[in-house]
């Protein structure tokens, strides 16, 4: 039986050994963090993928990775990159992407990671804003950018383009390089959340490194851990919580390039992943698959396992022992998650029932909270003292407060801490508008803080719906209630004003039915008659959920979508805001 470690070590205590030697600031820079862990663990696995011949493993140790990083940094410096210049990178998750990212710091530059899922023209707009000296891009977009006349060099992340491949770039010269300090700009992350014109979030080395180590306030991370970089690594969540967290302690990163189930299962199994970070969509689908496998064993077995899951959870909460790993070993092995030590969900609120189910099965599963502008982690549920209804407890050196609270204490969450961004790139007015007069960062999220300091999230302020009765409804709370219904691929809640009503909104559900539901009904999306049957099934699901909602939260209109709504790289629907 595995026990939960109640003793939380100081996440930065070991750094004191290197203070004044490897670094002199209040926090090391990201270059210094990597140097320190190469010294501590030169032979530890650092970067791994399964893109070798026949899907075989490719691994660089920390020492080998540093050799490639230093070589590329020297080449960048010899070819004109100076302190404070920008280097851009866009591609699938890979060791090459990671080498470029870190080499920028070893050349004294700022990294600009860009979303590989953007259209070429959108990437061009970002590049025109960032004005990098070099752009490293993956093979699918390489030819487009290589053939254009840009004022920057275009180089390849893929060995398919050997003449400009990142691992082939080296120099015999020894350039003079001015390395960054903790207050220098480490990264510019272009984001707009789910809507709007992308903004460049400026994060310093102090922002990112403080977040890496203070995030360990609420959980222990070890050099023996194996992190799985499955979600796009340009995004602040994966970039910090997987990539930078791993190199911050000398752990291994396995790079996943696709969420195709067969590839993901292979990487989970052969990578022996211990740290899995994902978004609600990933964990929902994984849990649906696990529970379907249990149900397929018959009603008696399903009933026994559900009873044992409840018992396991009760024991865990009362005794801080985790019996699920023993009770459900075969279930977890089949799902290739038996080696998991911790699973963390971020990028959006997770239904409490899903959170609870993983803990019942023996996985130490917690939620975190943050934004790109906060590097991003500002709250995390302690593994040893979690609340399933909360997105986490404030990290050390992080303060929360609520402003403009309503009668229920729900208001806009504001935060202070060393990980708060420097500002938006070349957007002074937008930067100023994001902070209160006394320096608190306004998150744009609505919620409240309980007596023990746990953050309770209601939703985004701009998403809030006001009903005819004056009640505030948060779409995310309604959408969460549908997370385990596999009949729905997507559900997005929005307000609408019924005919004959002047003001006050009711709730409309925009629903894209799942392929699984259509297959079960033998339905064709292009056949109106078939889609009437599909809508009838969807209405049954909505009716079931409505019964458990407060009267003013209930859905009164259903719209079946012909096509799924566009999603962000963290699998959130891009909402369309009404003017």
């Amino acid at each position: 039986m595995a026990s939960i470690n109640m003793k939380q070590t100081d996440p930065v205590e070991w750094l004191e050994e290197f203070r004044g030697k490897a670094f002199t600031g209040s926090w090391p820079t990201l270059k210094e963090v990597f140097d320190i862990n190469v010294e501590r663990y030169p032979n530890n696995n650092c970067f791994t993928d399964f893109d070798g011949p026949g899907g075989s493993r490719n691994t660089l140790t920390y020492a080998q990775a540093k050799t490639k990083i230093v070589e590329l940094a020297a080449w960048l410096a010899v070819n004109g990159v100076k302190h404070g210049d920008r280097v851009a990178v866009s591609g699938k998750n890979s060791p090459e992407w990671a080498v470029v990212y870190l080499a920028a710091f070893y050349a004294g530059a700022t990294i600009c990671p860009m979303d590989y899922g953007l259209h070429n023209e959108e990437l061009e707009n970002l590049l025109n804003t960032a004005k990098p000296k070099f752009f490293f891009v993956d093979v699918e977009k390489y030819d487009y950018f290589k053939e254009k006349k840009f004022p920057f060099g275009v180089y390849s992340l893929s060995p398919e383009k050997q003449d400009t491949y990142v691992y082939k770039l080296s120099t015999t010269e020894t350039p003079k390089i001015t390395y960054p300090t903790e207050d220098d700009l480490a990264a510019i992350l272009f984001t707009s959340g789910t809507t709007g014109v992308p903004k460049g979030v400026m994060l310093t080395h102090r922002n990112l490194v403080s977040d890496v180590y203070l995030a360990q306030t609420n959980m222990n991370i070890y050099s023996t851990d194996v992190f799985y970089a499955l979600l796009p690594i340009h995004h602040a969540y994966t970039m910090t919580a997987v990539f930078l967290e791993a190199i911050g302690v000398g752990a291994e990163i396995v790079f996943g390039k696709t969420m195709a189930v067969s590839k993901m299962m292979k990487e989970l199994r052969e990578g022996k992943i211990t740290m899995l970070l994902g978004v609600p969509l990933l964990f929902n689908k994984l849990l649906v698959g696990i529970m379907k496998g249990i149900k397929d064993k018959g009603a008696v077995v399903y009933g026994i396992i559900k009873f044992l899951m409840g018992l396991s959870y009760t024991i865990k909460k009362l005794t801080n022992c985790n019996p699920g790993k023993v009770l459900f070993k075969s279930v977890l092995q089949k799902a290739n998650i038996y080696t998991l030590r911790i699973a963390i969900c971020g990028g959006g609120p997770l239904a409490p029932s899903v959170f609870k189910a993983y803990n019942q099965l023996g996985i130490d599963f917690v939620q975190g909270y943050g934004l790109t502008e906060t590097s991003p982690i500002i709250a995390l549920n302690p593994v040893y003292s979690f609340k399933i209804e909360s997105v986490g407890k404030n990290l050390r050196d992080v303060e929360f407060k609520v402003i403009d609270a309503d009668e229920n204490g729900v208001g806009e969450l504001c935060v202070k801490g060393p990980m708060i961004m420097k500002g938006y790139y070349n957007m002074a007015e937008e930067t100023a508008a994001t902070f209160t007069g006394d320096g608190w960062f306004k998150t744009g999220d609505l919620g409240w803080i309980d007596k023990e300091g746990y953050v309770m999230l209601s939703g985004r302020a701009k998403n809030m719906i006001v009903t005819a009765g004056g009640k505030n409804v948060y779409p995310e709370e309604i959408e969460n209630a549908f997370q385990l219904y596999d009949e729905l691929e997507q559900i997005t809640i929005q307000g609408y004003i019924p005919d004959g009503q002047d003001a006050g909104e009711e709730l409309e559900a925009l629903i894209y039915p799942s392929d699984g539901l259509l297959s079960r009904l033998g339905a064709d999306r292009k056949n109106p008659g078939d889609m009437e049957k599909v809508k009838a099934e969807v209405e049954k699901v909505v009716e079931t959920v409505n019964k458990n909602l407060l009267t003013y939260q209930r859905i009164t209109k259903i719209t079946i979508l012909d096509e799924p709504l566009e999603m962000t790289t963290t699998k959130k629907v891009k909402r369309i805001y009404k003017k």
Side-chain angles (χ1 to χ4, degrees), residues 168-440:
K168 297 291 186 180
L169 306 177
S170 62
T171 178
T172 56
E173 297 181 42
T174 306
K176 185 177 180 181
I177 297 172
T178 302
Y179 295 123
T181 67
E182 64 176 322
D183 293 316
D184 282 335
L185 203 55
I188 302 174
L189 305 186
F190 288 93
T191 178
S192 61
T194 51
T195 64
V197 178
K199 297 175 180 176
V201 175
M202 298 189 293
L203 300 174
T204 66
H205 286 267
R206 185 204 304 264
N207 290 155
L208 290 167
V209 174
S210 67
D211 205 45
V212 164
Y213 291 119
L214 293 177
Q216 296 172 42
T217 304
N218 294 342
M219 69 173 57
N220 290 321
I221 298 173
Y222 307 106
S223 61
T224 51
D225 276 317
V226 182
F227 286 74
Y228 191 24
L230 179 62
L231 298 172
I233 200 170
H234 76 275
H235 191 275
Y237 176 37
T238 310
M239 187 188 78
T240 297
V242 178
F243 175 44
L244 298 182
E245 282 289 350
I247 66 171
V249 297
E252 181 180 5
I253 306 151
V254 171
F255 294 94
K257 299 185 180 182
T258 173
M259 284 180 70
V261 174
S262 59
K263 190 79 158 50
M264 188 172 79
M265 289 296 107
K266 172 186 170 66
E267 290 165 348
L268 281 168
R269 181 176 63 254
E270 296 185 17
K272 294 181 170 57
I273 306 300
T274 68
M275 301 290 294
L276 177 61
L277 289 84
V279 292
L281 181 66
L282 170 65
F283 288 117
N284 290 339
K285 289 197 168 187
L286 190 57
L287 182 60
V288 166
I290 291 170
M291 298 312 293
K292 182 180 183 300
I294 295 171
K295 285 179 181 176
D296 288 346
K297 295 179 182 298
V300 174
V301 173
Y302 179 72
I304 292 170
I305 288 180
K306 285 293 285 183
F307 169 77
L308 290 174
M309 285 172 66
L311 180 63
S312 168
Y313 185 77
T314 301
I315 293 171
K316 184 174 184 178
K317 290 297 283 184
L318 291 177
T319 69
N320 295 312
C321 290
N322 187 357
K325 271 287 184 79
V326 175
L327 289 173
F328 307 113
K329 181 177 180 178
S330 62
V331 173
L332 298 175
Q333 284 178 327
K334 189 173 182 181
N336 294 305
I337 57 174
Y338 180 70
T339 58
L340 285 192
R341 204 170 60 79
I342 299 174
I344 303 174
C345 185
L350 184 73
S353 57
V354 180
F355 193 164
K356 187 174 182 179
Y358 279 102
N359 278 289
Q360 289 175 325
L361 288 166
I363 300 296
D364 286 339
F365 189 99
V366 297
Q367 288 194 87
Y369 167 64
L371 302 92
T372 302
E373 291 88 341
T374 62
S375 298
I377 311 160
I378 45 179
L380 194 63
N381 260 289
V383 168
Y384 50 85
S385 185
F386 62 88
K387 291 188 178 184
I388 63 172
E389 68 274 20
S390 171
V391 292
K393 194 172 185 179
N394 64 299
L395 307 182
R396 200 183 82 192
D397 298 347
V398 174
E399 298 176 78
F400 276 96
K401 75 172 182 178
V402 176
I403 62 172
D404 303 326
D406 63 16
E407 68 275 10
N408 297 315
V410 175
E412 184 173 8
L413 296 168
C414 297
V415 64
K416 274 187 177 180
M419 64 285 297
I420 307 301
M421 69 169 181
K422 188 173 183 178
Y424 295 117
Y425 187 59
N426 292 337
M427 288 182 162
E429 288 185 16
E430 287 84 352
T431 299
T434 310
F435 289 87
T436 64
D438 54 352
W440 290 79

Side-chain angles (χ1 to χ4, degrees), residues 72 86-105 110-118 123 126-127 130 132-138 141 152-153 155-157 166 187-190 233-235 239 243:
L72 178 58
R86 288 159 300 286
V87 173
V89 60
S90 186
K92 299 182 290 292
N93 296 358
S94 67
E96 290 89 343
W97 189 103
V99 166
V100 170
Y101 185 101
L102 291 169
F105 307 142
T110 296
I111 193 70
C112 297
M114 295 179 179
D115 185 352
Y116 197 56
L118 294 176
L123 270 176
L126 297 188
L127 291 165
K133 283 288 181 73
F134 290 97
F135 178 42
F136 292 85
V137 66
D138 228 326
K141 296 181 183 290
F152 48 80
Y155 289 81
S156 175
L157 293 174
V166 59
I188 302 174
L189 305 186
F190 288 93
I233 200 170
H234 76 275
H235 191 275
M239 187 188 78
F243 175 44

Side-chain angles (χ1 to χ4, degrees), residues 9-21:
T9 58
D10 184 334
V12 294
E13 185 178 4
W14 65 268
L15 273 177
E16 294 307 312
E17 176 189 342
F18 295 90
R19 190 179 298 279
K21 303 171 189 173

Side-chain angles (χ1 to χ4, degrees), residues 18-138:
F18 295 90
R19 190 179 298 279
K21 303 171 189 173
F23 71 99
T24 56
S26 58
W27 294 98
T29 65
L30 286 165
K31 173 192 176 296
E32 290 165 342
V33 165
F34 197 74
D35 282 340
I36 288 168
N37 283 301
V38 171
E39 181 181 336
R40 295 170 80 203
Y41 307 109
N43 298 317
N44 271 21
N45 289 347
C46 184
F47 303 146
T48 293
D49 68 17
F50 286 90
D51 285 350
S56 60
R57 169 191 280 264
N58 291 318
T59 296
L60 293 174
T61 66
Y62 269 78
Q64 290 168 335
K66 183 173 177 179
T67 297
K68 290 187 179 294
I69 290 161
V70 170
E71 279 184 359
L72 178 58
W75 182 89
L76 289 170
V78 165
N79 285 277
V81 172
K82 297 181 179 61
H83 182 268
D85 283 344
R86 288 159 300 286
V87 173
V89 60
S90 186
K92 299 182 290 292
N93 296 358
S94 67
E96 290 89 343
W97 189 103
V99 166
V100 170
Y101 185 101
L102 291 169
F105 307 142
Y106 279 77
T110 296
I111 193 70
C112 297
M114 295 179 179
D115 185 352
Y116 197 56
L118 294 176
H119 297 301
N120 291 337
E121 295 75 15
E122 294 172 310
L123 270 176
E124 277 189 68
N125 289 336
L126 297 188
L127 291 165
N128 289 334
T129 299
K131 296 181 172 56
K133 283 288 181 73
F134 290 97
F135 178 42
F136 292 85
V137 66
D138 228 326

Side-chain angles (χ1 to χ4, degrees), residues 471-513:
K471 297 289 189 180
N472 295 340
V473 177
Y474 309 104
E476 296 89 342
E477 291 183 343
I478 312 302
E479 292 159 4
N480 288 348
F482 289 88
Q483 285 191 10
L484 286 183
Y485 288 91
D486 56 7
E487 292 90 343
L488 315 184
E489 180 70 25
Q490 283 183 353
I491 177 166
T492 301
I493 302 298
Q494 65 180 20
Y496 78 100
I497 298 177
D499 292 340
Q501 191 168 298
D502 295 330
E505 296 178 293
E506 293 187 14
L507 304 189
E508 176 184 13
L510 305 178
I511 293 173
Y512 184 71

